[in-house]
Amino acid sequence: MVFNSYTFIVFFAVVLFVHNLPFKWTFKKVHLLLASYLFYAVWNPPFILLLLFSTFIDFQVGKNLSTEQNPTKRKWWLAASLVGNLGPLAYFKYGEFMLENFVSLSSLAGFDFHPAAPDIILPVGISFYTFQTLSYSLDMYNRKYAPEKSFLDFALFVTFFPQLVAGPIVRPDELIPQFKSPVKATLLQFNHGMFLLTLGLFMKVVLADSLLAGPADAVFSAGKDMNAIDAWMGVLAFSGQIFFDFGGYSTCAIGIALCLGFTIRDNFFYPYAAIGFSDFWRRWHITLSTWLRDYLYIPLGGNRKGIIRTYINVMLTMLIGGLWHGANWTFVVWGGLHGLYLAVEKYIQDKRKAHSHEPGPHPHLKPNFAHAMLTFFLVNITWVFFRAQDFTTAWSLLKSMFLFGNAKELVLNYLDILKVSVVITGMIIVHWQMRHKKVLTVAESKPWWSVGLVWTFLLVMLILSQESTSSFIYFQF
């Protein structure tokens, strides 16, 4: 079930109606849990068993980790959680990828190996809920807090439908406490939630699907060298598409949860206004970047074991982050480029700090719009590898972007070029103007009639846009 469907509108209306009836809180939580399973079952009912498996294993592991004092046994319990969570993820998401690479290595070694073609269906959202449940076991291993006693609350934490299949990735201490006492949205929360839901759907249906998806698909599927204008318009279209698609989903998820009275933290904060790549990852897919920081980068040693280890830890974290996004070497290169950007940025910052302690005048680089555009330019280079199906397509596109293509005829028509130019320019302006603000804070500071006009515009554009029930891009991850 996708948010941009009539089925979801009916589903959500029923959930809201029952949630606001004068029933006991336990009944309402059971209702939300069953609704969440139904929401997930629409894709493929048998995969609910994987959700139940992750829920049971981490709930039990958490209990045992809280009482077990023997260090060796505690490590074994943690290993059980790691295997129980990462094992299914490795099979369903990376099984075919690993087999393909094994066949390639066998061929290089002189072995003629032809296995049967695997028929593996990727469970939607497995990467998201796996990281979410795994964080509980890791926190319990580190004795961060007491174990959750209520299986119902823990199960609802794992399966809460607004953010189940594409995040934001919430932590146990952020969501489980909200299930402890009755929660019902105030009128203000409900209005804010519905506004965010409308905004998120506008980002997905109007901007991502109706205006940007077509030009992006045309360029990335062209399969040939092209004019630099085509190449750049296609890459810029995808940079906007993936933000409006994924940012739109997160905005919808936060809004839906708020309509029910629950709070989920932000996942995007105007990333294309980022000044540098540390800033970019503080603004893009925030819940994943902080997860990788807390459960991978810091345990690897972070920046505590010398400069060389710091660079290695940064690169390993981003390479794994790239592989998390998809079972393809192009995603690894995407993560590697971001790791390289972060390492170079850190090197420059360290050099500047060292020089600032020397006597004499030293110029200080002040953040400005030009630096944000340089960051945006370099981020767009990485999107080529993220979107391209293979390295041949990526290399052909990069050549075209930097004037090494020999095509004269345009792939895109003038209307497509105009749409991309207007949408991306508007996106950059809004990101820069809003880089320190939150949309609800801005809305609250404006007259009610101006917010009403904006809201009406969003609704009208949703109605006028071509019907879109396509899945969100991050469902495949």
Side-chain angles (χ1 to χ4, degrees):
M1 193 183 303
V2 292
F3 295 156
N4 50 316
S5 67
Y6 295 120
T7 304
F8 177 77
I9 292 174
V10 175
F11 166 84
F12 186 46
V14 173
V15 170
L16 275 174
F17 177 74
V18 176
H19 185 71
N20 286 282
L21 289 175
F23 293 137
K24 291 185 177 180
W25 182 233
T26 301
F27 175 88
K28 291 185 178 183
K29 288 193 290 186
V30 172
H31 158 251
L32 284 176
L33 180 62
L34 294 177
S36 297
Y37 283 128
L38 175 62
F39 177 83
Y40 192 78
V42 170
W43 278 287
N44 199 319
F47 285 139
I48 288 179
L49 297 175
L50 282 176
L51 270 176
L52 289 169
F53 176 76
S54 293
T55 303
F56 277 110
I57 191 170
D58 285 298
F59 183 74
Q60 189 60 45
V61 165
K63 287 173 58 177
N64 290 326
L65 284 173
S66 68
T67 57
E68 183 60 64
Q69 300 300 319
N70 186 297
T72 301
K73 290 182 179 180
R74 297 188 84 249
K75 289 179 180 178
W76 277 110
W77 278 115
L78 179 61
S81 176
L82 291 170
V83 172
N85 284 288
L86 299 181
L89 180 64
Y91 172 76
F92 284 102
K93 189 168 183 175
Y94 303 104
E96 187 172 346
F97 175 69
M98 290 187 288
L99 181 60
E100 289 175 355
N101 283 276
F102 178 76
V103 171
S104 298
L105 290 173
S106 298
S107 298
L108 289 175
F111 296 102
D112 190 18
F113 179 53
H114 297 284
D119 186 18
I120 302 174
I121 300 174
L122 179 66
V124 66
I126 188 171
S127 298
F128 288 90
Y129 70 72
T130 294
F131 271 28
Q132 189 155 307
T133 59
L134 189 57
S135 67
Y136 175 77
S137 294
L138 291 168
D139 287 343
M140 292 304 303
Y141 180 78
N142 292 319
R143 301 188 186 280
K144 187 174 178 179
Y145 40 69
E148 176 53 42
K149 297 179 180 179
S150 168
F151 180 77
L152 174 58
D153 289 354
F154 184 77
L156 190 52
F157 154 72
V158 175
T159 61
F160 190 47
F161 76 87
Q163 46 76 230
L164 172 59
V165 295
I169 303 172
V170 297
R171 306 289 180 88
D173 57 338
E174 294 171 349
L175 192 55
I176 292 179
Q178 297 186 60
F179 300 141
K180 295 303 177 185
S181 56
V183 171
K184 181 180 177 181
T186 64
L187 180 59
L188 181 62
Q189 285 179 316
F190 183 80
N191 287 337
H192 283 175
M194 292 302 295
F195 180 78
L196 290 178
L197 176 58
T198 306
L199 176 61
L201 290 175
F202 173 81
M203 292 166 68
K204 163 65 175 174
V205 175
V206 179
L207 299 178
D209 288 354
S210 298
L211 297 178
L212 298 177
D217 291 344
V219 168
F220 278 92
S221 62
K224 60 181 181 181
D225 287 350
M226 62 190 73
N227 189 288
I229 294 175
D230 279 325
W232 274 107
M233 286 296 107
V235 173
L236 287 170
F238 179 71
S239 73
Q241 181 196 4
I242 194 168
F243 166 72
F244 289 124
D245 190 284
F246 192 23
Y249 183 93
S250 295
T251 303
C252 287
I254 294 167
I256 292 165
L258 199 57
C259 287
L260 294 166
F262 300 101
T263 302
I264 297 176
R265 64 169 163 160
D266 293 335
N267 207 24
F268 289 86
F269 194 56
Y270 309 105
Y272 291 142
I275 298 172
F277 297 95
S278 296
D279 191 27
F280 178 79
W281 283 103
R282 285 191 291 266
R283 295 171 176 272
W284 179 275
H285 204 344
I286 299 168
T287 57
L288 174 65
S289 61
T290 54
W291 198 101
L292 292 171
R293 179 198 66 196
D294 295 343
Y295 299 110
L296 185 59
Y297 176 70
I298 292 176
L300 284 172
N303 60 359
R304 305 185 305 276
K305 297 187 177 182
I307 190 64
I308 300 301
R309 272 294 298 274
T310 298
Y311 291 143
I312 292 173
N313 293 340
V314 167
M315 185 60 72
L316 281 174
T317 300
M318 295 313 298
L319 287 172
I320 293 172
L323 195 59
W324 177 90
H325 281 84
N328 195 316
W329 287 111
T330 54
F331 288 108
V332 178
V333 172
W334 172 80
L337 280 174
H338 274 282
L340 178 63
Y341 290 163
L342 287 165
V344 171
E345 180 179 85
K346 178 170 177 53
Y347 176 80
I348 294 173
Q349 289 174 345
D350 288 346
K351 285 293 183 181
R352 288 180 59 210
K353 288 179 181 178
H355 288 311
S356 67
H357 295 298
E358 296 177 2
H362 297 282
H364 293 278
L365 196 63
K366 293 183 178 180
N368 58 36
F369 184 71
H371 301 140
M373 289 302 92
L374 176 61
T375 304
F376 180 61
F377 169 81
L378 293 173
V379 166
N380 274 281
I381 304 301
T382 71
W383 285 137
V384 174
F385 292 96
F386 192 97
R387 176 62 174 81
Q389 294 296 315
D390 50 52
F391 288 114
T392 301
T393 302
W395 179 242
S396 175
L397 194 53
L398 285 171
K399 286 194 301 179
S400 299
M401 290 167 67
F402 292 99
L403 306 176
F404 291 104
N406 53 17
K408 295 183 180 179
E409 294 184 359
L410 290 173
V411 172
L412 302 176
N413 58 47
Y414 292 116
L415 179 59
D416 284 335
I417 293 172
L418 178 63
K419 287 192 300 185
V420 174
S421 300
V422 171
V423 173
I424 299 305
T425 300
M427 177 187 72
I428 291 171
I429 292 172
V430 170
H431 279 221
W432 183 254
Q433 293 296 322
M434 294 285 291
R435 66 187 311 270
H436 296 304
K437 305 172 185 176
K438 292 192 175 184
V439 66
L440 290 180
T441 303
V442 172
E444 287 182 336
S445 68
K446 302 297 182 182
W448 66 267
W449 55 266
S450 64
V451 176
L453 286 175
V454 172
W455 200 340
T456 301
F457 170 77
L458 299 179
L459 289 170
V460 170
M461 290 303 297
L462 278 170
I463 294 169
L464 295 179
S465 294
Q466 54 186 314
E467 183 177 352
S468 171
T469 57
S470 62
S471 294
F472 290 79
I473 292 175
Y474 264 67
F475 282 12
Q476 62 187 295
F477 305 136

